[in-house]
Amino acid sequence: MSSPTSRPARKAVIPVAGMGTRFLPATKAVPKELLPVVDRPALQYIVEEAARAGLPEVLMVTGRGKSAIEDFFDRVPELETALEKKGDADRLASVHESTEVAQVHFVRQGEARGLGHAVLQASAFVGDEPFAVLLGDDLIDARDHLLEHMLAVQAQHGGSVIALLDVGRENIDKYGAVAVEPGTQTALEGDEVVTVTGLVEKPPVDEAPSSLAIIGRYVLSPAVFDVLRETSPGRGGEIQLTDALATLVERGEPVHGVVFSGRRYDTGDRLDYLKAVIRLASERDDLGPPLRAWLHDFVADLPAEGASSS
Ligand code: UTP
């Protein structure tokens, strides 16, 4: 069992081998993790988040049809020379950003057999230390500090830490759901810390233990690898990380939850993707003012639809 005195997490694993069926046909040829959120791939925001949190060693778990991801994090000397000749320093810097932000390694999953199976491919890279997992299509706003909070909880309490979001009971059947001990422990900038007592993947709404959903950030004990090796395919015929975490809880390994109170976008979901692009673009200094002015007029002309403001 990990103890609070074990070495803090230093490595990040980003699984990007999924098929992205919710975003077809775009994802037939383009990995969903490379779809641009304004002018940068979703995945670049995620690598930057890992680096900001003090995890500059990143392993991406890729698969067939995802080689564009390796190209994106590689140098492109001819492009750099062309930009240098033009004296386009800003664009040159933006091209360098993707290669300089972190040390990125790759391993192949072979077959998309589920998130648990993807994480298992990272065992040799991770070794015997706690590590972070960031899902390649789950974007956390850079102004919120979810991963930092999770790393702090892991360093203090040991075990594993998962990110949770209250999605409302009516939506919980699309997520992994958790049971938690009543009463919260501490709050970190509005994010509460809870003790997880059970996990279940995509439960029917009337059987869900709570409305708290697992979202795409984890800080895991290396003990999860042994459990994953023994985990049979579960929901959807996939090896589920949620099932392995449920086994850890049953074995008495501590699993904590950080209930996120900030901004999160599932860029693998078309509607959430559109919200991410509009929100982040409208807040930027360069694109924000003309976009906000256009949005204002556009929205004023729209018929009311009774939509939520989230
Ligand atoms: P998702 O369930 O969102 O990915 O997995 P998916 O299967 O690609 O999506 P849809 O539902 O078909 O649209 C979350 C993350 O885990 C990765 C995905 O790439 C995504 O970043 N993943 C999923 C893997 O790396 N391998 C898998 O076998 C499954």
Side-chain angles (χ1 to χ4, degrees):
M1 189 192 283
S2 346
S3 73
T5 52
S6 67
R7 165 191 238 179
R10 296 176 307 160
K11 294 177 179 168
V13 174
I14 308 185
V16 291
M19 288 187 276
T21 52
R22 286 169 296 159
F23 230 121
L24 283 168
T27 45
K28 225 177 126 188
V30 180
K32 66 173 168 181
E33 297 83 2
L34 288 189
L35 292 174
V37 177
V38 191
D39 50 10
R40 297 185 301 155
L43 193 52
Q44 188 175 344
Y45 292 85
I46 291 164
V47 174
E48 285 171 359
E49 179 189 340
R52 264 198 318 275
L55 310 169
E57 279 234 40
V58 172
L59 178 75
M60 288 192 192
V61 184
T62 68
R64 244 181 309 284
K66 300 276 179 164
S67 49
I69 292 179
E70 294 182 41
D71 290 343
F72 181 77
F73 289 98
D74 201 358
R75 305 268 317 261
V76 191
E78 55 278 25
L79 176 61
E80 291 172 22
T81 311
L83 291 171
E84 259 161 29
K85 272 195 193 147
K86 275 194 196 168
D88 195 339
D90 287 349
R91 290 207 172 86
L92 185 61
S94 76
V95 166
H96 280 160
E97 263 174 28
S98 60
T99 47
E100 284 168 2
V101 65
Q103 178 89 40
V104 184
H105 309 264
F106 297 92
V107 66
R108 302 270 290 209
Q109 191 182 2
E111 206 185 330
R113 292 177 59 200
L115 178 59
H117 184 255
V119 169
L120 185 53
Q121 310 313 307
S123 64
F125 169 81
V126 167
D128 192 27
E129 19 180 304
F131 64 104
V133 175
L134 295 83
L135 298 195
D137 57 355
D138 214 331
L139 214 151
I140 299 295
D141 197 292
R143 293 162 292 187
D144 298 317
H145 302 109
L146 173 61
L147 187 56
E148 284 95 329
H149 293 165
M150 296 172 71
L151 289 164
V153 171
Q154 202 283 330
Q156 195 184 346
H157 300 290
S160 298
V161 185
I162 59 179
L164 301 172
L165 184 71
D166 195 331
V167 296
R169 197 160 264 278
E170 66 283 11
N171 297 313
I172 196 71
D173 55 351
K174 300 182 201 74
Y175 296 85
V178 295
V180 298
E181 241 170 42
T184 53
Q185 298 162 12
T186 38
L188 302 160
E189 289 180 13
D191 293 347
E192 287 171 351
V193 182
V194 294
T195 301
V196 175
T197 56
L199 302 91
V200 54
E201 186 62 26
K202 300 192 175 74
V205 166
D206 54 354
E207 289 171 29
S210 74
S211 55
L212 290 176
I214 305 167
I215 56 168
R217 297 294 179 273
Y218 306 77
V219 182
L220 299 177
S221 150
V224 77
F225 292 124
D226 281 341
V227 177
L228 281 169
R229 282 186 196 97
E230 297 161 9
T231 302
S232 309
R235 186 112 201 156
E238 297 192 337
I239 297 174
Q240 298 288 354
L241 183 57
T242 306
D243 293 345
L245 292 171
T247 305
L248 281 180
V249 169
E250 281 160 22
R251 291 184 184 172
E253 267 261 352
V255 176
H256 307 280
V258 172
V259 184
F260 185 48
S261 55
R263 293 149 282 202
R264 174 244 178 194
Y265 315 95
D266 176 1
T267 61
D269 173 82
R270 292 168 303 170
L271 183 58
D272 235 25
Y273 170 82
L274 291 171
K275 289 180 186 174
V277 173
I278 293 169
R279 188 177 229 175
L280 295 182
S282 69
E283 289 169 355
R284 281 211 351 200
D285 290 340
D286 52 353
L287 297 165
L291 178 64
R292 286 197 300 271
W294 178 80
L295 272 175
H296 193 268
D297 293 347
F298 180 69
V299 170
D301 288 343
L302 282 180
E305 205 78 55
S308 86
S309 60
S310 69

